[in-house]
Amino acid sequence: MTLVEPEDRPRRRPSQARSRRRYEAILEAAATLFAESGFDGVTTEAIAAAAGTSIGSLYQFFPGKKAIFVTLAERLMERENALFEEVVAEAQGRPWDELVEAVVDAFAHLQDTEPAWRAVWSSHLALVGEVAETGERYQRRIVERTAAILGGYAPALSEERRETVATTLVE
């Protein structure tokens, strides 16, 4: 069962360059506003104004602010997964403590520099159910990948134990 209803999804994805720029401007403005004021403190009118577009343009792409938030949250989770894979690929073969430190540093940098991160995690309690399924799927991928990596560093650990350690590390 999915908690994100069809009306909480974008209406359409832009295909033309100008529309893509407007779509991205809406998402960037929303991320900044959600990070500053939380989900409940932001209106679609404020998002449109901050994006430099009309409310009609916003509604061409999104049925409401929840759809914008869900889009931001899902993009962020994709970004976190890609960042994890990138850092692991670069740090592979280094000592375990250096690998862990590289991952932690990368995620700390993301938190410090990405308005969408602050927007999603500052508002997630209000909307946790809306993105829970996606979050669990992405987190599962990172746990599975971490367990596989851990196997290379600690081959004597059973698969079950690697899974437990990986889950603890990720959470």
Side-chain angles (χ1 to χ4, degrees):
M1 174 184 165
T2 182
L3 297 172
V4 179
E5 301 298 329
E7 63 269 15
D8 297 330
R9 294 277 179 208
R11 287 194 165 122
R12 71 179 183 89
R13 304 266 187 219
S15 56
Q16 296 180 341
R18 192 178 79 194
S19 293
R20 281 193 304 271
R21 284 190 301 273
R22 190 175 326 129
Y23 183 88
E24 293 303 322
I26 290 167
L27 290 172
E28 287 175 29
T32 299
L33 292 172
F34 289 147
E36 292 170 355
S37 303
F39 180 81
D40 291 332
V42 176
T43 65
T44 52
E45 291 82 6
I47 294 169
T53 194
S54 69
I55 192 70
S57 289
L58 182 146
Y59 284 125
Q60 283 180 4
F61 299 114
F62 302 98
K65 73 177 180 175
K66 191 189 287 186
I68 297 169
F69 180 86
V70 167
T71 301
L72 284 172
E74 290 178 347
R75 276 185 165 196
L76 175 64
M77 290 177 229
E78 289 170 8
R79 171 93 169 89
E80 288 174 337
N81 251 261
L83 177 63
F84 177 80
E85 289 297 334
E86 179 183 314
V87 171
V88 164
E90 290 173 6
Q92 193 74 40
R94 290 200 268 168
W96 177 254
D97 60 329
E98 289 181 22
L99 175 63
V100 172
E101 185 175 333
V103 171
V104 169
D105 287 349
F107 276 83
H109 180 73
L110 180 68
Q111 292 172 25
D112 289 342
T113 60
E114 182 63 47
W117 196 95
R118 291 187 307 279
V120 169
W121 298 114
S122 68
S123 299
H124 84 285
L125 292 178
L127 296 164
V128 72
E130 311 304 334
V131 293
E133 184 178 293
T134 302
E136 288 171 13
R137 187 174 66 248
Y138 280 111
Q139 183 170 347
R140 186 82 224 128
R141 282 188 203 159
I142 291 177
V143 166
E144 289 169 358
R145 183 76 169 101
T146 301
I149 293 166
L150 184 57
Y153 287 92
L157 284 180
S158 69
E159 193 172 314
E160 182 180 333
R161 185 74 176 140
R162 284 194 307 264
E163 179 84 13
T164 301
V165 171
T167 301
T168 302
L169 284 169
V170 170
E171 290 190 15

